[in-house]
Amino acid sequence: MRHLMSPLDFTTEELDKLFDLAGDIERNPQKYAHACDGKILATCFYEPSTRTRLSFESAMTRLGGQVIGFSDAASSSASKGESVSDTIRVISCYADICAMRHPKEGAPMVAAERSGVPVINAGDGGHQHPTQTLTDLLTIRSMKGSLGGFTIGLCGDLKFGRTVHSLIHALVRYDNIRYIFISPEELRVPDYITDMLRSKGIPFQEVIRLEDVMPELDLLYMTRVQKERFFNEEDYVRLKDFYILDAAKLSKAREDMLVLHPLPRVNEISVEVDDDPRAAYFKQARYGVYVRMALILTLLELE
Ligand code: CP
């Protein structure tokens, strides 16, 4: 039985297969409409979500399967003190696969150790968000043609943004990628990530001003300042609008640059950018369904 805790749980060859499958699902949805007939997905979300939970539910439904779950710890028996270990043992009696989001880093891993069914980490604290990374990689591969040979700017909350941490870990396995980290001093990417890049001899740069590096970028990955991970409101308020990508700033970018964002956005991308052909973040959300369909099929060994 296989789980997904980190994007590194799949080799790059396995990811290629997964993305090929996602592409086939996109082109031929009818072929997969009954692939999960009789199967049940449990979505156990101890933290809020729109995209991840609903794209998992959409994915399983489009595969012919069914979905059970909870979207809030308060409406589950976690509110009475039940442990994640006990919860997953029970969920294993009810479902064939489980997607779990939890505010505590490592909670889905604890669940995987006790589970009788595959567990997918749907985001754990500020740690990892592997299915968002699969979504990001599929978007880049589909829209840029390959996973390598580009300069990517990651902008915003690089300290608490788990999507950024997961994406960098996944991208370091591909060739000729240059990283530009764009953040205020307080929200710099953690040292363990820059140490990892240095140890692998991978080039990166850390800057504060987005405008200065915009013309160099093939991809701009914007992120929200993660309000829920701040210890005090004052710091959040001071930093939340540090970056606002608007049409004027985007005018400095290459014509073929893509703007990605895991969403939800708050103010960091102005709505006037949404109609620019470089704005790829809503397409990215759609790719999230195809890649989760491919992932469910793969983990259930139905591909
Ligand atoms: N990208 C993402 O994880 O969005 P949700 O928090 O809405 O699931």
Side-chain angles (χ1 to χ4, degrees):
M1 188 175 56
R2 202 161 180 195
H3 308 284
L4 179 73
M5 292 296 118
S6 147
L8 301 184
D9 292 349
F10 284 117
T11 65
T12 52
E13 291 75 22
E14 286 173 324
L15 287 181
D16 275 340
K17 252 181 85 178
L18 188 83
F19 299 146
D20 288 344
L21 178 58
D24 196 49
I25 292 168
E26 181 185 6
R27 287 184 299 276
N28 307 294
Q30 278 313 316
K31 200 168 128 187
Y32 298 91
H34 296 286
C36 281
D37 278 357
K39 299 288 183 195
I40 297 176
L41 164 76
T43 52
C44 299
F45 277 59
Y46 295 83
E47 247 196 358
S49 166
T50 296
R51 270 145 299 276
T52 310
R53 187 172 64 84
L54 295 182
S55 63
F56 263 118
E57 297 192 2
S58 173
M60 190 48 145
T61 307
R62 284 166 193 261
L63 290 168
Q66 290 179 298
V67 182
I68 57 172
F70 54 86
S71 58
D72 178 6
S75 67
S76 79
S77 286
S79 62
K80 302 175 207 161
E82 185 171 54
S83 68
V84 164
S85 300
D86 283 359
T87 301
I88 195 66
R89 289 180 78 162
V90 173
I91 294 289
S92 301
C93 305
Y94 304 157
D96 302 287
I97 186 164
C98 172
M100 179 178 287
R101 171 170 288 188
H102 204 286
K104 283 205 180 127
E105 280 120 20
M109 176 70 91
V110 170
E113 282 164 7
R114 288 287 174 170
S115 181
V117 299
V119 176
I120 300 167
N121 177 2
D124 61 328
H127 184 219
Q128 296 268 355
H129 192 347
T131 61
Q132 180 63 49
T133 300
L134 300 183
T135 302
D136 300 341
L137 295 180
L138 176 62
T139 307
I140 296 169
R141 196 180 92 142
S142 303
M143 298 188 74
K144 280 282 177 198
S146 74
L147 284 167
F150 52 71
T151 297
I152 182 167
L154 297 115
C155 178
D157 184 350
L158 308 186
K159 178 178 178 182
F160 296 117
R162 59 190 171 197
T163 61
V164 168
H165 306 159
S166 270
L167 182 58
I168 297 167
H169 271 107
L171 283 177
V172 295
R173 298 189 293 179
Y174 298 93
D175 293 330
N176 300 321
I177 300 179
R178 190 172 146 239
Y179 300 83
I180 303 184
F181 300 130
I182 308 148
S183 73
E185 189 62 33
E186 294 97 322
L187 298 178
R188 282 175 55 196
V189 72
D191 288 345
Y192 77 89
I193 289 185
T194 48
D195 289 347
M196 181 262 295
L197 293 173
R198 275 192 204 96
S199 73
K200 291 178 184 294
I202 295 172
F204 71 89
Q205 200 181 330
E206 290 184 274
V207 301
I208 295 176
R209 277 171 51 87
L210 173 59
E211 297 88 318
D212 293 347
V213 293
M214 188 73 97
E216 299 176 44
L217 305 179
D218 299 298
L219 292 161
L220 173 59
Y221 193 92
M222 293 296 293
T223 62
R224 167 180 73 91
V225 175
Q226 305 272 305
K227 182 179 184 185
E228 63 275 32
R229 316 256 177 248
F230 274 75
F231 290 112
N232 72 70
E233 176 84 11
E234 211 176 282
D235 285 347
Y236 169 71
V237 169
R238 186 166 48 80
L239 293 168
K240 72 182 171 70
D241 292 331
F242 202 92
Y243 298 105
I244 298 179
L245 179 66
D246 56 18
K249 289 195 187 99
L250 195 56
S251 70
K252 307 264 186 309
R254 293 181 188 158
E255 286 300 310
D256 63 349
M257 189 190 81
L258 291 182
V259 183
L260 302 179
H261 191 310
L263 304 178
R265 89 170 130 192
V266 186
N267 285 328
E268 61 278 1
I269 301 179
S270 167
V271 288
E272 69 188 10
V273 170
D274 294 356
D275 293 330
D276 190 292
R278 291 166 286 196
Y281 31 93
F282 292 115
K283 284 187 198 139
Q284 190 180 352
R286 176 167 281 276
Y287 282 118
V289 177
Y290 303 130
V291 88
R292 288 181 175 99
M293 288 171 81
L295 179 65
I296 290 169
L297 290 175
T298 302
L299 294 181
L300 290 177
E301 300 181 349
L302 295 171
E303 76 277 26

PDB file of all heavy atoms in Angstrom, residues 113-135:
ATOM      1  N   GLU A 113       0.814   5.777   9.112  1.00  0.00           N
ATOM      2  CA  GLU A 113       1.408   4.646   9.842  1.00  0.00           C
ATOM      3  C   GLU A 113       0.339   3.717  10.421  1.00  0.00           C
ATOM      4  O   GLU A 113       0.583   2.547  10.647  1.00  0.00           O
ATOM      5  CB  GLU A 113       2.319   5.173  10.952  1.00  0.00           C
ATOM      6  CG  GLU A 113       3.656   5.635  10.389  1.00  0.00           C
ATOM      7  CD  GLU A 113       4.431   6.516  11.351  1.00  0.00           C
ATOM      8  OE1 GLU A 113       4.001   6.663  12.517  1.00  0.00           O
ATOM      9  OE2 GLU A 113       5.470   7.054  10.926  1.00  0.00           O
ATOM     10  N   ARG A 114      -0.837   4.253  10.701  1.00  0.00           N
ATOM     11  CA  ARG A 114      -1.912   3.472  11.327  1.00  0.00           C
ATOM     12  C   ARG A 114      -2.997   3.036  10.351  1.00  0.00           C
ATOM     13  O   ARG A 114      -3.922   2.316  10.736  1.00  0.00           O
ATOM     14  CB  ARG A 114      -2.576   4.336  12.418  1.00  0.00           C
ATOM     15  CG  ARG A 114      -1.710   4.525  13.621  1.00  0.00           C
ATOM     16  CD  ARG A 114      -1.664   3.230  14.377  1.00  0.00           C
ATOM     17  NE  ARG A 114      -0.734   3.289  15.481  1.00  0.00           N
ATOM     18  CZ  ARG A 114      -0.647   2.351  16.403  1.00  0.00           C
ATOM     19  NH1 ARG A 114      -1.439   1.292  16.341  1.00  0.00           N
ATOM     20  NH2 ARG A 114       0.214   2.457  17.368  1.00  0.00           N
ATOM     21  N   SER A 115      -2.906   3.545   9.114  1.00  0.00           N
ATOM     22  CA  SER A 115      -4.029   3.398   8.202  1.00  0.00           C
ATOM     23  C   SER A 115      -4.054   2.049   7.502  1.00  0.00           C
ATOM     24  O   SER A 115      -3.005   1.476   7.191  1.00  0.00           O
ATOM     25  CB  SER A 115      -3.951   4.505   7.143  1.00  0.00           C
ATOM     26  OG  SER A 115      -5.035   4.399   6.260  1.00  0.00           O
ATOM     27  N   GLY A 116      -5.271   1.583   7.215  1.00  0.00           N
ATOM     28  CA  GLY A 116      -5.429   0.388   6.389  1.00  0.00           C
ATOM     29  C   GLY A 116      -5.667   0.738   4.926  1.00  0.00           C
ATOM     30  O   GLY A 116      -5.850  -0.156   4.093  1.00  0.00           O
ATOM     31  N   VAL A 117      -5.714   2.050   4.615  1.00  0.00           N
ATOM     32  CA  VAL A 117      -5.946   2.489   3.227  1.00  0.00           C
ATOM     33  C   VAL A 117      -4.919   3.583   2.889  1.00  0.00           C
ATOM     34  O   VAL A 117      -4.337   4.185   3.798  1.00  0.00           O
ATOM     35  CB  VAL A 117      -7.391   3.050   3.048  1.00  0.00           C
ATOM     36  CG1 VAL A 117      -8.429   1.974   3.349  1.00  0.00           C
ATOM     37  CG2 VAL A 117      -7.627   4.291   3.910  1.00  0.00           C
ATOM     38  N   PRO A 118      -4.683   3.843   1.587  1.00  0.00           N
ATOM     39  CA  PRO A 118      -3.731   4.906   1.230  1.00  0.00           C
ATOM     40  C   PRO A 118      -4.157   6.261   1.799  1.00  0.00           C
ATOM     41  O   PRO A 118      -5.338   6.613   1.759  1.00  0.00           O
ATOM     42  CB  PRO A 118      -3.770   4.924  -0.306  1.00  0.00           C
ATOM     43  CG  PRO A 118      -4.270   3.566  -0.702  1.00  0.00           C
ATOM     44  CD  PRO A 118      -5.217   3.155   0.386  1.00  0.00           C
ATOM     45  N   VAL A 119      -3.176   6.995   2.345  1.00  0.00           N
ATOM     46  CA  VAL A 119      -3.432   8.333   2.881  1.00  0.00           C
ATOM     47  C   VAL A 119      -2.679   9.347   2.020  1.00  0.00           C
ATOM     48  O   VAL A 119      -1.511   9.138   1.675  1.00  0.00           O
ATOM     49  CB  VAL A 119      -2.954   8.454   4.347  1.00  0.00           C
ATOM     50  CG1 VAL A 119      -3.145   9.880   4.860  1.00  0.00           C
ATOM     51  CG2 VAL A 119      -3.713   7.471   5.239  1.00  0.00           C
ATOM     52  N   ILE A 120      -3.364  10.423   1.683  1.00  0.00           N
ATOM     53  CA  ILE A 120      -2.762  11.511   0.912  1.00  0.00           C
ATOM     54  C   ILE A 120      -2.671  12.729   1.817  1.00  0.00           C
ATOM     55  O   ILE A 120      -3.670  13.147   2.413  1.00  0.00           O
ATOM     56  CB  ILE A 120      -3.632  11.845  -0.322  1.00  0.00           C
ATOM     57  CG1 ILE A 120      -3.767  10.614  -1.234  1.00  0.00           C
ATOM     58  CG2 ILE A 120      -3.040  13.026  -1.082  1.00  0.00           C
ATOM     59  CD1 ILE A 120      -4.863  10.763  -2.288  1.00  0.00           C
ATOM     60  N   ASN A 121      -1.470  13.282   1.924  1.00  0.00           N
ATOM     61  CA  ASN A 121      -1.282  14.520   2.677  1.00  0.00           C
ATOM     62  C   ASN A 121      -1.861  15.672   1.846  1.00  0.00           C
ATOM     63  O   ASN A 121      -1.315  16.021   0.796  1.00  0.00           O
ATOM     64  CB  ASN A 121       0.225  14.713   2.924  1.00  0.00           C
ATOM     65  CG  ASN A 121       0.538  16.010   3.644  1.00  0.00           C
ATOM     66  OD1 ASN A 121      -0.360  16.768   3.993  1.00  0.00           O
ATOM     67  ND2 ASN A 121       1.824  16.272   3.862  1.00  0.00           N
ATOM     68  N   ALA A 122      -2.926  16.262   2.346  1.00  0.00           N
ATOM     69  CA  ALA A 122      -3.569  17.371   1.627  1.00  0.00           C
ATOM     70  C   ALA A 122      -3.152  18.715   2.218  1.00  0.00           C
ATOM     71  O   ALA A 122      -3.843  19.723   2.050  1.00  0.00           O
ATOM     72  CB  ALA A 122      -5.085  17.191   1.682  1.00  0.00           C
ATOM     73  N   GLY A 123      -1.989  18.725   2.896  1.00  0.00           N
ATOM     74  CA  GLY A 123      -1.442  19.938   3.506  1.00  0.00           C
ATOM     75  C   GLY A 123      -1.313  19.745   5.001  1.00  0.00           C
ATOM     76  O   GLY A 123      -2.311  19.478   5.679  1.00  0.00           O
ATOM     77  N   ASP A 124      -0.063  19.834   5.512  1.00  0.00           N
ATOM     78  CA  ASP A 124       0.150  19.695   6.960  1.00  0.00           C
ATOM     79  C   ASP A 124       0.923  20.895   7.491  1.00  0.00           C
ATOM     80  O   ASP A 124       2.102  21.055   7.246  1.00  0.00           O
ATOM     81  CB  ASP A 124       0.830  18.358   7.315  1.00  0.00           C
ATOM     82  CG  ASP A 124       2.203  18.168   6.706  1.00  0.00           C
ATOM     83  OD1 ASP A 124       2.451  18.681   5.593  1.00  0.00           O
ATOM     84  OD2 ASP A 124       3.057  17.526   7.359  1.00  0.00           O
ATOM     85  N   GLY A 125       0.198  21.761   8.209  1.00  0.00           N
ATOM     86  CA  GLY A 125       0.798  22.960   8.799  1.00  0.00           C
ATOM     87  C   GLY A 125       1.573  23.749   7.749  1.00  0.00           C
ATOM     88  O   GLY A 125       1.143  23.898   6.613  1.00  0.00           O
ATOM     89  N   GLY A 126       2.755  24.227   8.138  1.00  0.00           N
ATOM     90  CA  GLY A 126       3.599  24.985   7.202  1.00  0.00           C
ATOM     91  C   GLY A 126       4.586  24.086   6.491  1.00  0.00           C
ATOM     92  O   GLY A 126       5.554  24.569   5.900  1.00  0.00           O
ATOM     93  N   HIS A 127       4.346  22.770   6.519  1.00  0.00           N
ATOM     94  CA  HIS A 127       5.341  21.789   6.076  1.00  0.00           C
ATOM     95  C   HIS A 127       5.258  21.496   4.587  1.00  0.00           C
ATOM     96  O   HIS A 127       6.058  22.008   3.806  1.00  0.00           O
ATOM     97  CB  HIS A 127       5.148  20.522   6.941  1.00  0.00           C
ATOM     98  CG  HIS A 127       6.126  19.445   6.706  1.00  0.00           C
ATOM     99  ND1 HIS A 127       5.774  18.119   6.694  1.00  0.00           N
ATOM    100  CD2 HIS A 127       7.452  19.481   6.457  1.00  0.00           C
ATOM    101  CE1 HIS A 127       6.845  17.392   6.468  1.00  0.00           C
ATOM    102  NE2 HIS A 127       7.876  18.187   6.315  1.00  0.00           N
ATOM    103  N   GLN A 128       4.287  20.661   4.168  1.00  0.00           N
ATOM    104  CA  GLN A 128       4.225  20.206   2.778  1.00  0.00           C
ATOM    105  C   GLN A 128       2.794  20.264   2.257  1.00  0.00           C
ATOM    106  O   GLN A 128       1.831  20.188   3.037  1.00  0.00           O
ATOM    107  CB  GLN A 128       4.685  18.737   2.681  1.00  0.00           C
ATOM    108  CG  GLN A 128       6.124  18.497   3.060  1.00  0.00           C
ATOM    109  CD  GLN A 128       7.077  18.555   1.869  1.00  0.00           C
ATOM    110  OE1 GLN A 128       6.661  18.694   0.721  1.00  0.00           O
ATOM    111  NE2 GLN A 128       8.357  18.466   2.145  1.00  0.00           N
ATOM    112  N   HIS A 129       2.687  20.358   0.940  1.00  0.00           N
ATOM    113  CA  HIS A 129       1.370  20.303   0.293  1.00  0.00           C
ATOM    114  C   HIS A 129       1.595  19.592  -1.051  1.00  0.00           C
ATOM    115  O   HIS A 129       1.549  20.209  -2.119  1.00  0.00           O
ATOM    116  CB  HIS A 129       0.832  21.722   0.107  1.00  0.00           C
ATOM    117  CG  HIS A 129      -0.610  21.805  -0.284  1.00  0.00           C
ATOM    118  ND1 HIS A 129      -1.355  20.705  -0.720  1.00  0.00           N
ATOM    119  CD2 HIS A 129      -1.469  22.871  -0.318  1.00  0.00           C
ATOM    120  CE1 HIS A 129      -2.587  21.106  -0.984  1.00  0.00           C
ATOM    121  NE2 HIS A 129      -2.681  22.403  -0.755  1.00  0.00           N
ATOM    122  N   PRO A 130       1.826  18.267  -0.972  1.00  0.00           N
ATOM    123  CA  PRO A 130       2.280  17.569  -2.182  1.00  0.00           C
ATOM    124  C   PRO A 130       1.300  17.567  -3.349  1.00  0.00           C
ATOM    125  O   PRO A 130       1.733  17.618  -4.495  1.00  0.00           O
ATOM    126  CB  PRO A 130       2.544  16.138  -1.700  1.00  0.00           C
ATOM    127  CG  PRO A 130       1.906  16.015  -0.371  1.00  0.00           C
ATOM    128  CD  PRO A 130       1.824  17.393   0.209  1.00  0.00           C
ATOM    129  N   THR A 131      -0.016  17.543  -3.074  1.00  0.00           N
ATOM    130  CA  THR A 131      -0.927  17.518  -4.236  1.00  0.00           C
ATOM    131  C   THR A 131      -1.006  18.889  -4.901  1.00  0.00           C
ATOM    132  O   THR A 131      -1.289  18.977  -6.100  1.00  0.00           O
ATOM    133  CB  THR A 131      -2.340  16.982  -3.893  1.00  0.00           C
ATOM    134  OG1 THR A 131      -2.956  17.825  -2.920  1.00  0.00           O
ATOM    135  CG2 THR A 131      -2.272  15.550  -3.391  1.00  0.00           C
ATOM    136  N   GLN A 132      -0.732  19.966  -4.139  1.00  0.00           N
ATOM    137  CA  GLN A 132      -0.614  21.273  -4.796  1.00  0.00           C
ATOM    138  C   GLN A 132       0.630  21.265  -5.684  1.00  0.00           C
ATOM    139  O   GLN A 132       0.613  21.789  -6.806  1.00  0.00           O
ATOM    140  CB  GLN A 132      -0.531  22.400  -3.755  1.00  0.00           C
ATOM    141  CG  GLN A 132      -0.406  23.789  -4.370  1.00  0.00           C
ATOM    142  CD  GLN A 132      -1.616  24.171  -5.209  1.00  0.00           C
ATOM    143  OE1 GLN A 132      -2.749  24.033  -4.758  1.00  0.00           O
ATOM    144  NE2 GLN A 132      -1.410  24.643  -6.434  1.00  0.00           N
ATOM    145  N   THR A 133       1.681  20.631  -5.200  1.00  0.00           N
ATOM    146  CA  THR A 133       2.911  20.565  -6.010  1.00  0.00           C
ATOM    147  C   THR A 133       2.672  19.766  -7.290  1.00  0.00           C
ATOM    148  O   THR A 133       3.139  20.159  -8.361  1.00  0.00           O
ATOM    149  CB  THR A 133       4.051  19.924  -5.185  1.00  0.00           C
ATOM    150  OG1 THR A 133       4.251  20.749  -4.042  1.00  0.00           O
ATOM    151  CG2 THR A 133       5.331  19.848  -5.977  1.00  0.00           C
ATOM    152  N   LEU A 134       1.954  18.656  -7.179  1.00  0.00           N
ATOM    153  CA  LEU A 134       1.641  17.889  -8.397  1.00  0.00           C
ATOM    154  C   LEU A 134       0.852  18.767  -9.367  1.00  0.00           C
ATOM    155  O   LEU A 134       1.091  18.754 -10.578  1.00  0.00           O
ATOM    156  CB  LEU A 134       0.836  16.628  -8.060  1.00  0.00           C
ATOM    157  CG  LEU A 134       1.495  15.602  -7.125  1.00  0.00           C
ATOM    158  CD1 LEU A 134       0.586  14.385  -6.965  1.00  0.00           C
ATOM    159  CD2 LEU A 134       2.858  15.170  -7.644  1.00  0.00           C
ATOM    160  N   THR A 135      -0.071  19.548  -8.826  1.00  0.00           N
ATOM    161  CA  THR A 135      -0.851  20.482  -9.647  1.00  0.00           C
ATOM    162  C   THR A 135       0.071  21.497 -10.325  1.00  0.00           C
ATOM    163  O   THR A 135      -0.032  21.765 -11.526  1.00  0.00           O
ATOM    164  CB  THR A 135      -1.875  21.227  -8.754  1.00  0.00           C
ATOM    165  OG1 THR A 135      -2.706  20.266  -8.118  1.00  0.00           O
ATOM    166  CG2 THR A 135      -2.705  22.209  -9.536  1.00  0.00           C
TER     167      THR A 135
END
